[in-house]
Amino acid sequence: RLRILVFPETHRTWIARGLDYDLSAEGRTIEAAVDTLLRIVRAHIAFDLRHHREPLSAFASAPRAYWGAFARGTPLPVPIPLDWIDGGPPPQIIATVVTQHPAIRPAPPVARTA
């Protein structure tokens, strides 16, 4: 399984971050960020297969804050298949989008004094 969280980095840039394998990519649109991340994943899979390694085995999972945001996100359709291993089933790709960067926490409310 490949889970992807997409979130805004700036008002012009979106980040697609892999959760099962901590990889990320950016793009000017949500679709461009996801497409770029999937291209990076494909390149790493091809490299690993050429070197007789488990695909993406060099990558740990993403930090917990990104997983929590993924659970709260809005699902996105991801129509792009990935070749994982020859003859094996392609991984299930699940992507969600959130409106705020998961690492940015809102400031606590300011207490007003009279």
Side-chain angles (χ1 to χ4, degrees):
R1 182 182 300 183
L2 182 61
R3 289 170 277 205
I4 301 170
L5 175 66
V6 184
F7 54 90
E9 178 72 14
T10 67
H11 68 282
R12 292 181 155 176
T13 305
W14 289 87
I15 300 294
R17 185 153 186 173
L19 301 182
D20 302 280
Y21 310 96
D22 195 12
L23 292 161
S24 64
E26 68 177 50
R28 290 186 179 212
T29 65
I30 291 170
E31 295 80 12
V34 171
D35 182 58
T36 302
L37 178 62
L38 293 177
R39 289 172 190 261
I40 290 168
V41 168
R42 278 191 196 100
H44 280 288
I45 290 171
F47 178 87
D48 288 339
L49 292 176
R50 280 195 312 273
H51 292 87
H52 309 289
R53 298 190 333 203
E54 181 71 25
L56 304 175
S57 59
F59 298 96
S61 63
R64 186 173 301 195
Y66 296 94
W67 286 93
F70 178 84
R72 295 184 305 274
T74 302
L76 293 173
V78 182
I80 303 165
L82 277 176
D83 295 328
W84 190 260
I85 53 177
D86 293 332
Q92 178 186 18
I93 301 172
I94 304 168
T96 65
V97 64
V98 293
T99 58
Q100 185 177 3
H101 193 299
I104 299 174
R105 295 189 177 152
V110 177
R112 297 193 181 251
T113 58

